[in-house]
């Protein structure tokens, strides 16, 4: 029965990269996915000639040249630079936090004035060792920006008080004293010209893929078809939730085609940072590809707590879940034939470049 060297559970970016590299090295792989399409959360599909990021906006960014060269060896990337705009009760601010934001917030025009303002607010707050997202944010950029651009958005996004969330979440965003709206500090950034689905198609070219196939529907059978298993699904599901459920945030997307509207909001990403607006952001997909179609497609993102049956999008790396994950991880480490990888199996808030990087390392170690 053991026809394959590896069974890869999941065609997301992690599973697809691992399968690609293993098969390049002569390993026979079978890849399965319970969804009806490949790509996991990076899946894109065309609507009215516009590439729509079906599971949320995805911008590839990395400083790792090996990762950048790797993905560019399959498809061409454009020069898109993410620069979201925040809308707080009708007033617009540039993100991430930079001289444009400081000017819009306080009217300051020089880096020195901005630094003085932030330093005043930091001192006033008196936080020396930030213990949570709120303290981290105030100690990075002061209370005015925290209360206008962070607190309400964060609490809407995570469904938890900012004081109950880990500080690392807000450290994802740069703070800079230049007029630079680039959301990322990485050396390389862009979006595949023909969409992410094309990238994953190329990664999986020549490899056997079975869609609409849930590993747990016939686990014994799937365990028998390969020597080793790369599992990229939820780690708690693998162990039958024996210690209880890990929590996730899920997102509901309301996607609309606006026929005859060529430009709805003038930017790919507009965040609504107030508590009253029920969605966190509106994505206008055509701007990721500098599209000049006569129609547009927009998606509103509504964040909510995950319950069984929903798509798990964001691991909630708070204290409760981190402790629970550590218990599952100990079980995972004791599995001889199974490797756990990717955002769900490692329960980590990974970006795409990180899962590709991890996949490169993993395959190196598997081939040793
Ligand atoms: P996934 O894409 O989740 O793939 C896992 C796959 O496993 C899925 O296809 C699933 O169907 C399959 N699977 C699970 N269980 C089973 C089973 N039992 N049987 C068979 N198949 C199974 N990253 C960035 O770098 N830039 C961004 O701008 C960005 N934006 C994001 C926006 C949102 C809203 C979200 C949620 C994430 C974003 N990310 C972004 C992160 C990015 O989506 C992830 O890093 C990446 O997609 C993780 O890939 P993965 O293969 O680990 O997981
Ligand atoms: N964030 C915020 N206001 C914003 C954008 C982001 O407070 O306008 C916070 C929020 O807590 C969010 C985190 O910064 O979860 C990380 O933002 P990012 O844009 O990286 O989130 P993602 O794209 O992963 O949803």
């Amino acid at each position: 029965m053991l026809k394959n060297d590896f069974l890869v559970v999941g065609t997301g970016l992690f599973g697809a990269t691992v399968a690609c590299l293993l098969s390049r090295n002569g390993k026979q792989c079978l890849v399965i996915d319970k969804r009806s399409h490949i790509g996991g959360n990076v899946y894109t599909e065309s609507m009215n000639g516009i590439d729509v990021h079906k599971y949320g906006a995805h911008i590839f960014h990395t400083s790792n040249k090996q990762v950048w060269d790797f993905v560019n060896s399959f498809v061409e990337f454009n020069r898109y630079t993410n620069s979201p705009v925040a809308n707080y009760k009708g007033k617009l601010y540039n993100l991430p936090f930079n001289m444009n934001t400081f000017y819009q917030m306080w009217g300051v025009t020089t880096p020195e004035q901005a630094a003085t303002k932030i330093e005043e607010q930091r001192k006033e707050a008196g936080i020396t060792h930030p213990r949570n997202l709120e303290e981290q944010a105030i100690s990075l950029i002061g209370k005015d920006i925290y209360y206008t651009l962070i607190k309400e958005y964060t609490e809407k996004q995570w469904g938890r008080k900012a004081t109950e969330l880990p500080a690392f979440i807000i450290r994802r965003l740069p703070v800079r004293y230049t007029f630079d709206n680039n959301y990322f500090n990485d050396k390389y950034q862009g979006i595949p010209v023909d969409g992410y689905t094309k990238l994953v198609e190329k990664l999986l070219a020549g490899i056997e893929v079975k869609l609409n196939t849930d590993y747990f529907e016939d686990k014994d059978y799937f365990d028998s078809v390969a020597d080793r298993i790369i599992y990229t699904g939820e780690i708690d599901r693998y162990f039958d939730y024996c210690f209880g459920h890990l929590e996730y945030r899920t997102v509901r997307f309301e996607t609309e085609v606006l026929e005859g509207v060529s430009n709805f909001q003038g930017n790919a990403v507009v965040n609504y940072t107030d508590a009253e607006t029920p969605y966190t952001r509106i994505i206008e997909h055509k701007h990721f590809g500098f599209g000049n179609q006569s129609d547009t497609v927009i998606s509103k993102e509504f964040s909510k707590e995950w319950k069984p049956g929903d798509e798990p999008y964001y691991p909630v790396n708070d204290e409760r879940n981190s402790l629970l994950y550590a218990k599952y991880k100990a079980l995972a480490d004791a599995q001889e034939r199974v490797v756990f990888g990717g955002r769900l199996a490692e329960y980590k808030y990974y970006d795409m470049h990180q899962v590709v990087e991890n996949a490169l390392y993993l395959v190196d170690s598997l081939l040793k």
Side-chain angles (χ1 to χ4, degrees):
M1 201 62 197
L2 283 174
K3 166 172 156 304
N4 299 285
D5 298 303
F6 289 90
L7 168 75
V8 180
V9 181
T11 60
L13 206 48
F14 184 79
T17 304
V18 169
C20 169
L21 294 167
L22 286 171
S23 91
R24 263 191 196 172
N25 282 281
K27 303 292 177 196
Q28 180 76 29
C29 298
L30 168 65
V31 188
I32 62 170
D33 203 299
K34 63 182 179 184
R35 293 185 185 169
S36 59
H37 59 73
I38 58 169
N41 288 346
V42 307
Y43 176 73
T44 46
E45 66 185 11
S46 181
M47 287 173 82
N48 291 42
I50 297 163
D51 256 325
V52 172
H53 297 213
K54 176 113 191 269
Y55 300 92
H58 279 75
I59 300 102
F60 202 100
H61 56 97
T62 183
S63 291
N64 182 328
K65 186 161 185 333
Q66 196 193 353
V67 167
W68 185 241
D69 288 346
F70 177 76
V71 292
N72 277 271
S73 70
F74 295 91
V75 292
E76 184 188 350
F77 278 67
N78 68 18
R79 58 158 188 83
Y80 179 80
T81 299
N82 199 27
S83 44
V85 168
N87 181 324
Y88 184 74
K89 304 189 176 184
K91 182 156 186 219
L92 301 183
Y93 298 87
N94 288 107
L95 292 172
F97 315 116
N98 72 80
M99 282 304 297
N100 288 309
T101 332
F102 308 144
Y103 171 68
Q104 290 146 354
M105 184 65 64
W106 300 306
V108 294
T109 54
T110 66
E112 198 187 344
Q113 289 168 354
T116 305
K117 191 86 194 156
I118 289 173
E119 195 46 38
E120 260 169 40
Q121 299 205 348
R122 270 191 196 136
K123 275 215 178 104
E124 206 181 294
I127 299 160
T128 46
H129 295 97
R131 288 163 306 173
N132 55 53
L133 194 153
E134 175 168 300
E135 293 185 0
Q136 178 69 81
I138 294 176
S139 71
L140 277 175
I141 32 88
K143 67 173 183 4
D144 289 346
I145 289 183
Y146 173 67
Y147 285 110
T148 313
L149 301 178
I150 299 178
K151 182 179 162 54
E152 294 168 42
Y153 181 96
T154 292
E155 296 188 345
K156 199 158 60 163
Q157 162 72 14
W158 294 98
R160 286 159 178 74
K161 291 207 158 61
T163 48
E164 289 162 13
L165 288 163
F168 82 84
I169 294 180
I170 202 65
R171 289 199 302 265
R172 286 167 62 87
L173 308 194
V175 176
R176 39 174 111 85
Y177 293 89
T178 53
F179 291 91
D180 177 0
N181 297 326
N182 184 350
Y183 205 54
F184 304 113
N185 280 328
D186 286 312
K187 259 193 201 160
Y188 312 106
Q189 186 172 168
I191 291 183
V193 171
D194 294 317
Y196 287 95
T197 306
K198 181 64 87 193
L199 167 64
V200 179
E201 257 169 42
K202 294 246 175 121
L203 287 167
L204 292 172
I207 300 172
E208 189 182 356
V209 178
K210 283 189 202 292
L211 297 176
N212 300 304
T213 304
D214 189 330
Y215 174 63
F216 296 107
E217 299 248 299
D218 206 349
K219 182 170 180 302
D220 290 344
Y221 167 76
F222 286 116
D223 285 345
S224 74
V225 301
D227 286 335
R228 300 197 67 182
I229 293 153
I230 312 290
Y231 176 78
T232 77
E234 296 124 274
I235 188 169
D236 52 348
R237 171 70 188 89
Y238 186 92
F239 295 107
D240 234 346
Y241 309 106
C242 62
F243 302 125
H245 280 274
L246 286 165
E247 292 169 305
Y248 298 88
R249 292 295 286 174
T250 193
V251 186
R252 182 171 64 81
F253 298 97
E254 255 179 35
T255 296
E256 287 171 73
V257 178
L258 304 179
E259 297 201 344
V261 177
S262 65
N263 189 1
F264 172 74
Q265 62 183 16
N267 204 34
V269 185
V270 178
N271 292 357
Y272 287 79
T273 58
D274 65 297
E276 290 73 40
T277 306
Y279 40 86
T280 50
R281 52 191 176 193
I282 301 184
I283 305 301
E284 187 172 11
H285 300 269
K286 70 189 303 177
H287 296 308
F288 289 127
F290 314 103
N292 53 13
Q293 300 85 349
S294 51
D295 304 330
T296 197
V297 182
I298 59 164
S299 300
K300 292 180 180 147
E301 295 189 11
F302 298 82
S303 177
K304 61 186 184 84
E305 200 64 16
W306 175 91
K307 55 177 180 15
D310 293 337
E311 288 293 349
Y313 283 106
Y314 292 91
V316 181
N317 295 114
D318 63 6
E319 207 180 330
R320 173 207 178 261
N321 289 295
S322 301
L323 291 171
L324 191 52
Y325 169 68
K327 290 166 87 175
Y328 283 117
K329 166 111 175 50
L331 290 185
D333 288 345
Q335 301 289 308
E336 279 181 9
R337 293 176 59 215
V338 190
V339 179
F340 293 73
R343 211 182 223 210
L344 299 172
E346 291 181 70
Y347 197 67
K348 288 219 170 61
Y349 192 4
Y350 282 141
D351 278 331
M352 291 181 281
H353 60 290
Q354 295 167 310
V355 301
V356 171
E357 190 170 69
N358 291 352
L360 297 172
Y361 286 137
L362 172 65
V363 173
D364 270 355
S365 72
L366 289 171
L367 294 174
K368 265 186 198 138

